[in-house]
Amino acid sequence: MPRVEKFSIGNEYKTSMYEMLENTLYISKVKEKNRMNYLNKIDVSLNCQRIYLRIMLKNKWIDEKKFQVAINRIAEIGKILGGLIKYYAKNNSK
């Protein structure tokens, strides 16, 4: 792959992180019934980040240690997000 592609996927990864942060900030600002929409957007961003990391590892653009650190952080965020999704799904159904 061209060298430019290596930097493009890194930019996509960072953009995804910033979008996730922005959506996280919206959660406290929107009505409770609209929060699931933003939680789902954050979930999509996390899945994209996992894919970007796997591509970077496969092409040896990052080493295994950096990959594991990033994946573990994403996994922890995913656990928190899963709890929030369950909470709001339960409370929105009432």
Side-chain angles (χ1 to χ4, degrees), residues 54-66:
R54 285 189 203 115
I55 291 170
M56 288 188 278
L57 179 68
K58 181 180 176 186
N59 289 306
K60 296 182 175 46
W61 295 334
I62 59 172
D63 60 15
E64 183 70 33
K65 185 176 179 181
K66 288 180 183 177

Side-chain angles (χ1 to χ4, degrees), residues 4 16 22 40 64 91:
V4 174
S16 177
E22 186 177 325
N40 286 329
E64 183 70 33
N91 288 339

Side-chain angles (χ1 to χ4, degrees), residues 18-28 38-39 41-42 45:
Y18 293 137
E19 287 175 5
M20 186 178 72
L21 176 63
E22 186 177 325
N23 287 324
T24 302
L25 295 173
Y26 277 120
I27 290 173
S28 65
Y38 288 97
L39 291 171
K41 287 181 181 183
I42 295 168
S45 292

Side-chain angles (χ1 to χ4, degrees), residues 28-53:
S28 65
K29 302 292 183 187
V30 297
K31 294 180 182 177
E32 228 176 275
K33 64 181 180 179
N34 296 332
R35 290 182 182 166
M36 280 298 289
N37 184 35
Y38 288 97
L39 291 171
N40 286 329
K41 287 181 181 183
I42 295 168
D43 190 38
V44 168
S45 292
L46 279 177
N47 286 332
C48 287
Q49 289 173 24
R50 285 184 185 104
I51 292 168
Y52 297 146
L53 284 170

